[in-house]
């Protein structure tokens, strides 16, 4: 396997980490190393972790520092090749048939009849795109099997056109919330990294990096609060994105004159977004917020 030279001076995991920080993404050594190896070896990057830990944001930041367009394929139950790869424009094909002169046959499989979906777009323009296959665990096993050819050879088969191969290995990032196990064959094709919730100091640093309006004391209080919330049996525990939102929301309310405990309490909807979770915590919410806002 050829080791590729990386652009923009991204010569090491440390250099990549610094570039990501400049793009407002605070990467630890693990994710910086995994992303560097993915780029250097030309292998897909598989990021797993709980919702809200920064998997999709990592893909966005990587596309930004590489100066490439991010093409996002959002997976869902029942997704198939037509949604991910391509479709034929049947109305235009039918019009071409009607417009063809008598005795002539229309070429129905030209490029202008082909509707590109995310995977085909990335395959055709690998030098200028980053393909994000988001929440692959939401798809079914059939779609996962369909991906294997693409992730192995970066090629696809179109019956009417033959096999198309990328001129170079595209940058591909897959994310999974671990709602189901992924097939071992898919994992073998990827560089893997699991993103855990950051430690309190790092999470506070992320909040302040993403929002300059939030004071360090506020960031630390929010991190302490979400840390306690994540220990509860919640349907939707707050992720890093929710921690940032909560810190910003509480800061905005405090600027209107609200006291800090009240600002935290009134902005709880930025962190908890499920009525059952709110009902479960409501009896203890005041004491929790009072403790962290002190």
């Amino acid at each position: 396997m050829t080791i590729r030279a990386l652009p923009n001076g991204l010569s090491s995991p440390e250099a990549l980490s610094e570039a990501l920080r400049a793009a407002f993404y605070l990467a630890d050594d693990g994710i910086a190393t995994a992303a560097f190896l993915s780029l250097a070896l030309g292998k897909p990057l598989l990021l797993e972790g709980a919702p809200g830990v920064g998997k999709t944001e990592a893909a966005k930041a990587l596309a930004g520092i590489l100066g490439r367009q991010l093409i996002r394929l959002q997976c869902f139950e029942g997704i198939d090749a037509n949604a991910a790869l391509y479709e034929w424009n049947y109305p235009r094909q039918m019009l071409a048939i009607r417009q063809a002169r008598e005795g002539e046959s229309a070429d129905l499989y030209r490029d202008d009849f082909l509707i590109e979906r995310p995977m085909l777009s990335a395959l055709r323009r690998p030098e200028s795109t980053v393909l994000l296959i988001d929440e692959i665990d939401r798809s079914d096993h059939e779609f996962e099997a369909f991906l294997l050819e693409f992730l192995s050879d970066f090629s696809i088969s179109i019956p009417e056109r033959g096999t198309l191969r990328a001129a170079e290995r595209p940058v591909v990032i897959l994310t999974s919330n671990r709602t189901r196990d992924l097939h071992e064959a898919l994992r073998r094709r990827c560089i893997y990294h699991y993103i855990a919730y950051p430690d309190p100091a790092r999470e506070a640093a992320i909040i302040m990096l993403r929002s300059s309006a939030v004071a360090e004391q506020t960031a630390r209080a929010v991190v302490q609060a979400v840390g306690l919330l994540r220990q509860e049996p919640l349907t939707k525990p707050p992720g890093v994105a929710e921690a940032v939102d909560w810190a910003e929301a509480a800061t905005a309310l405090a600027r209107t004159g609200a006291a800090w405990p009240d600002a935290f309490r009134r902005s709880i909807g930025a962190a908890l977004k499920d009525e059952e979770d709110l009902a479960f915590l409501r009896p203890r919410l005041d004491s929790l917020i009072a403790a962290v806002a002190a």
Side-chain angles (χ1 to χ4, degrees):
M1 179 178 291
T2 302
I3 298 177
R4 302 190 299 190
L6 301 188
N8 304 326
L10 306 178
S11 57
S12 68
E14 293 74 21
L16 182 60
S17 179
E18 287 300 314
L20 288 169
R21 184 184 182 91
F24 301 100
Y25 187 89
L26 194 59
D28 61 16
D29 180 68
I31 189 170
T33 300
F36 173 81
L37 292 175
S38 170
L39 295 172
L41 300 178
K43 294 176 70 68
L45 175 63
L46 172 58
L47 299 176
E48 280 196 323
V53 294
K55 304 182 294 296
T56 301
E57 290 301 317
K60 293 178 181 178
L62 280 170
I65 65 174
L66 292 172
R68 297 185 176 199
Q69 176 191 4
L70 180 72
I71 301 175
R72 182 174 180 176
L73 173 60
Q74 177 63 54
C75 295
F76 53 88
E77 185 177 355
I79 188 173
D80 59 12
N82 287 341
L85 194 52
Y86 71 93
E87 286 185 282
W88 292 109
N89 191 326
Y90 293 116
R92 290 196 61 191
Q93 287 177 321
M94 294 301 296
L95 180 61
I97 291 173
R98 289 197 296 267
Q99 292 178 339
R101 294 179 180 177
E102 186 176 351
E104 295 181 355
S105 61
D107 181 0
L108 302 180
Y109 301 111
R110 304 192 307 263
D111 272 0
D112 52 337
F113 293 135
L114 191 63
I115 302 173
E116 288 186 355
R117 298 306 184 202
M119 288 174 59
L120 181 57
S121 295
L123 202 67
R124 285 181 154 183
R125 291 175 286 280
E127 75 290 342
S128 61
T129 59
V130 170
L131 175 62
L132 169 61
I133 303 176
D134 214 8
E135 298 182 324
I136 179 62
D137 53 319
R138 289 181 178 269
S139 67
D140 51 33
H141 292 287
E142 288 76 13
F143 182 74
E144 194 177 334
F146 159 75
L147 283 177
L148 296 181
E149 177 189 9
F150 179 82
L151 297 178
S152 178
D153 303 322
F154 294 111
S155 65
I156 57 173
S157 299
I158 301 178
E160 301 86 357
R161 299 284 295 270
T163 300
L164 301 180
R165 286 186 170 82
E168 61 182 73
R169 285 179 169 259
V171 177
V172 181
I173 301 170
L174 301 92
T175 72
S176 168
N177 294 331
R178 300 194 64 166
T179 59
R180 68 170 178 85
D181 289 334
L182 301 179
H183 197 282
E184 184 61 29
L186 184 141
R187 292 179 179 274
R188 282 199 306 268
R189 287 160 168 76
C190 303
I191 300 292
Y192 175 83
H193 182 68
Y194 178 81
I195 303 181
Y197 288 119
D199 61 60
R202 177 174 291 276
E203 189 161 15
I206 291 171
I207 291 173
M208 290 184 289
L209 181 67
R210 298 297 298 270
S211 180
S212 60
V214 175
E216 182 176 357
Q217 183 179 1
T218 304
R220 292 187 180 278
V222 167
V223 167
Q224 183 183 353
V226 296
L228 294 173
L229 293 175
R230 288 169 188 159
Q231 296 175 22
E232 301 285 347
L234 302 178
T235 302
K236 297 179 181 178
V240 178
E242 284 75 26
V244 175
D245 289 346
W246 197 11
E248 291 179 333
T251 298
L253 283 179
R255 286 181 173 176
T256 69
W260 274 111
D262 191 43
F264 279 119
R265 184 184 304 104
R266 291 169 61 187
S267 59
I268 189 65
L272 295 180
K273 301 177 181 180
D274 183 87
E275 173 55 29
E276 292 183 1
D277 288 344
L278 286 168
F280 172 75
L281 286 172
R282 193 167 285 122
R284 292 173 289 132
L285 196 57
D286 285 348
S287 58
L288 182 149
I289 290 174
V292 301

